[in-house]
């Protein structure tokens, strides 16, 4: 089963973290990546750019309209994810708890089951 | 299994080992061996098993490997890149190969149990390369998705390659440590099969059988090594009780309650013979001590008639080799038999009930409290242990034990 471990960041929380805290988080991510690569549970991970640089595209009446900023007004924004394949939801939760962000007050990891998956190598059956 | 499959299976690590030793490139060799096995399973049933099946397989696999390299190097030449070094000449034909097969199996074990990879990956790679299990079988045994296991094994091979490990015997200085890791991996495989740490089934027989098969292979190569012998004896003496551990409803039956008539006398004899032959003659180690404890249990006509004082002594000795909470927990059970539950509980209080052994500690404490007649506290600890175990049969057993301790004065009203 594949799960998306979505990392939500709160820019205000991040701004308050010390250099040392940030270093610990980065080291923690490297350690986590090493662990799940070796266990075979890692599929991929991505970190996303700042939400301030994001754009939202809407096509209305056949014309694209682009607005700056996030889709939703919120304190927390999706900052990245780990896509993993593991034995159970319990294990996915266990993995999420290993991500250093999970231990930071004000941050959390959302665990979502993947119900459809395709990539460059996977044939998608056409209906 | 067909006759051909039985001939083939033990040859896999020897053939793979011979190829990797000669050419390196674990992955390419594995593919070539798989091709050779396929050719054998197609040809042998019709044409008969060749006189030297191992030589036959090595020859065919080597041909596949050189074919693969030729097409690779042709492709590379077309791409105007550096030509691959020409592969070494094809191996000697069947019957001409003089390398002792034993070395190849052991070398392959050393390679799979390389310190560059974590124990779970060592286990997976060992089962794949030396045990000849398919990735799907290994994934099933450890209850992970097949894709996960595929990636795990691939990563393990990459880590070994990245560590620049050559397929050579460890130096005399490294040998004991590398052998210790190999034994640890076989022990892990056996334990995973014996006390399936999660899921529906209490035991996964394929894994215990596989661990015993591999331990026998290592013992055949190093018959004078005390710890190798001790590990094999420990596995046999534990496996001997297998059928009595499981009740009619698939539930766990603890040692004192087992029907000793269902223990396997032949395995007990073999295990005892092995351990008696080495103890006191070579350096003592943790596997020999654990085998000696298992032998005392297997020898005893009943739980009461077990030599508990000797078992307590052996656990004391084991703690010098393997200090840790698990040994202390087992020792506490034995101490209760010799000196009563209060002393055992005092020993248990020295164990830091951290997560790893938390449920075992709860279960042992519950057992000791029950012996002391402290029913309510025993019940609580049984239930706490039940909540914390991922193994369903173990959970059923613990809940059932707790159920026996329902306070009598407030029996359920209809």
């Amino acid at each position: 089963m594949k799960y998306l471990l979505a990392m939500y960041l709160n820019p205000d929380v991040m701004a308050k973290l010390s250099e040392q805290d940030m270093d610990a988080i980065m080291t923690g991510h490297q350690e986590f990546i090493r662990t799940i690569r070796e266990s075979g549970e890692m599929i991929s991970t991505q970190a996303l750019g700042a939400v301030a640089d994001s754009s939202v595209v809407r096509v209305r009446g056949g014309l694209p309209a682009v607005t700056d900023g996030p889709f939703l007004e919120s304190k927390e924004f999706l900052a990245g994810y780990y896509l993993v394949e593991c034995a159970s939801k319990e294990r996915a939760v266990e993995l999420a708890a290993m991500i250093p962000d999970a231990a930071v007050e004000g941050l959390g990891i959302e665990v979502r089951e993947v119900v459809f998956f395709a990539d460059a190598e996977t044939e998608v059956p056409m209906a | 299994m067909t006759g051909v499959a039985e001939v083939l299976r033990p040859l896999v690590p020897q053939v793979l080992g011979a190829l990797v030793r000669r050419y390196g490139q674990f992955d390419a060799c594995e593919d070539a061996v798989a091709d050779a096995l396929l050719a054998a399973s197609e040809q042998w049933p019709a044409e008969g098993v060749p006189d030297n099946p191992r030589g036959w397989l090595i020859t065919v696999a080597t041909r596949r490997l050189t074919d693969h390299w030729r097409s690779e190097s042709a492709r590379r030449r077309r791409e105007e890149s550096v030509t691959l070094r020409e592969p070494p000449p094809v191996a000697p034909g069947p019957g001409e190969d003089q390398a002792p097969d034993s070395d190849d199996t052991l070398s392959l074990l050393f390679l799979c149990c390389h310190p560059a990879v974590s124990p779970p990956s060592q286990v997976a790679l060992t089962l794949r390369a030396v045990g000849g299990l398919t990735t799907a079988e290994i994934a099933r045994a450890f209850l992970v998705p097949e894709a996960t296991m595929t990636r795990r094994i691939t990563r393990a091979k990459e880590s070994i390659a990245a560590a620049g490990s050559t397929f050579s015997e460890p130096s005399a200085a490294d040998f004991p440590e590398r052998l210790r890791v190999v034994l640890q991996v076989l022990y892990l495989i056996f334990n995973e099969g014996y006390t399936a740490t999660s899921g529906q089934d209490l035991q996964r027989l394929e894994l215990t059988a596989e661990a015993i098969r591999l331990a026998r292979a290592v013992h055949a190569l190093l018959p004078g090594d005390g710890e190798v012998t001790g590990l094999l004896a420990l596995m046999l003496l534990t496996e001997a009780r297998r059928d009595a551990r499981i009740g009619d409803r698939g539930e766990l039956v603890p040692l004192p309650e087992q029907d000793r008539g269902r223990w396997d006398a032949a395995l007990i004899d073999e295990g005892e013979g092995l351990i008696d032959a080495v103890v006191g003659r070579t350096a003592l180690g943790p596997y020999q001590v654990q085998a000696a404890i298992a032998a005392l249990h297997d020898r005893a006509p009943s739980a009461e008639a077990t030599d508990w004082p000797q078992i307590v002594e052996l656990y004391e000795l084991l703690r010098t080799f393997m200090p840790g909470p698990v040994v202390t927990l087992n020792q506490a059970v034995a101490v209760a038999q010799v000196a009563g539950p209060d002393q055992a509980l005092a020993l248990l209080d020295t164990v830091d009930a951290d997560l790893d052994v938390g449920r075992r500690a709860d279960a042992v404490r519950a057992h000791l409290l029950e012996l002391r007649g402290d029913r309510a506290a025993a019940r609580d600890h049984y239930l706490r242990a039940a909540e914390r175990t991922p193994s369903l049969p173990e959970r059923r057993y613990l809940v059932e034990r707790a159920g026996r301790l329902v306070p009598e004065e407030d029996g359920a009203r209809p």
Side-chain angles (χ1 to χ4, degrees), chain B residues 39-54:
Chain B
S41 58
E42 284 167 353
Q43 292 172 37
W44 294 2
E47 301 165 16
V49 176
D51 291 341
N52 177 356
R54 181 172 158 268

Side-chain angles (χ1 to χ4, degrees), chain B residues 194 233-242 255 258 260-261 263-272 290-302 306-307 311:
Chain B
Y194 188 72
L234 172 62
M235 287 181 184
L236 297 173
L237 291 163
T238 307
E239 185 78 352
R241 301 195 292 260
R242 191 184 83 194
L255 188 77
Q258 286 174 16
R260 293 173 184 237
W263 290 359
D264 186 326
L267 285 179
I268 293 173
D269 288 344
E270 189 187 354
E272 279 191 353
Q290 288 176 89
I293 292 169
L296 284 175
H297 282 303
D298 287 7
R299 231 177 251 154
S302 68
T306 305
D307 189 349
I311 289 179

Side-chain angles (χ1 to χ4, degrees), chain A residues 53-60 62-72:
Chain A
D53 301 331
S54 67
S55 302
V56 176
V57 179
R58 294 177 177 86
V59 178
R60 294 293 177 264
L63 295 173
V66 181
T67 52
D68 288 343
F71 184 75
L72 288 176

Side-chain angles (χ1 to χ4, degrees), chain B residues 32-71:
Chain B
V33 172
D35 280 351
L37 290 174
L38 191 65
S41 58
E42 284 167 353
Q43 292 172 37
W44 294 2
E47 301 165 16
V49 176
D51 291 341
N52 177 356
R54 181 172 158 268
W56 190 98
L57 287 168
I58 290 175
T59 306
V60 173
T62 304
R63 254 184 239 135
R64 297 291 154 103
L65 198 58
T66 46
D67 287 350
H68 165 75
W69 277 329
R70 287 205 184 95
S71 60

Side-chain angles (χ1 to χ4, degrees), chain B residues 193-210:
Chain B
Y194 188 72
T195 55
T197 46
S198 50
Q200 287 282 356
D201 294 331
L202 188 64
Q203 341 197 44
R204 300 201 201 106
L205 304 184
E206 320 79 34
L207 284 179
T208 55
E210 191 54 42

Side-chain angles (χ1 to χ4, degrees), chain B residues 13-26 29 54 65 85 88 97 99-108 110-111 166-170:
Chain B
Q14 299 171 22
V15 175
L16 181 59
L19 255 69
V20 177
R21 176 200 289 273
R22 221 166 280 162
Y23 307 111
Q25 301 200 10
F26 201 99
C29 291
R54 181 172 158 268
L65 198 58
R85 66 181 171 84
D97 193 281
D101 53 2
S102 56
D103 289 1
D104 291 333
T105 301
L106 196 58
S107 303
L108 198 56
F110 280 126
L111 190 72
T166 53
F167 192 68
S168 56
E169 290 296 318

Side-chain angles (χ1 to χ4, degrees), chain B residues 329 352-364 384-385 388:
Chain B
L329 290 177
D352 176 20
D354 65 9
L355 275 180
D356 278 351
V357 295
R359 67 191 162 92
R360 281 274 296 139
D362 275 327
V364 171
R384 258 182 53 177
R388 293 165 76 169

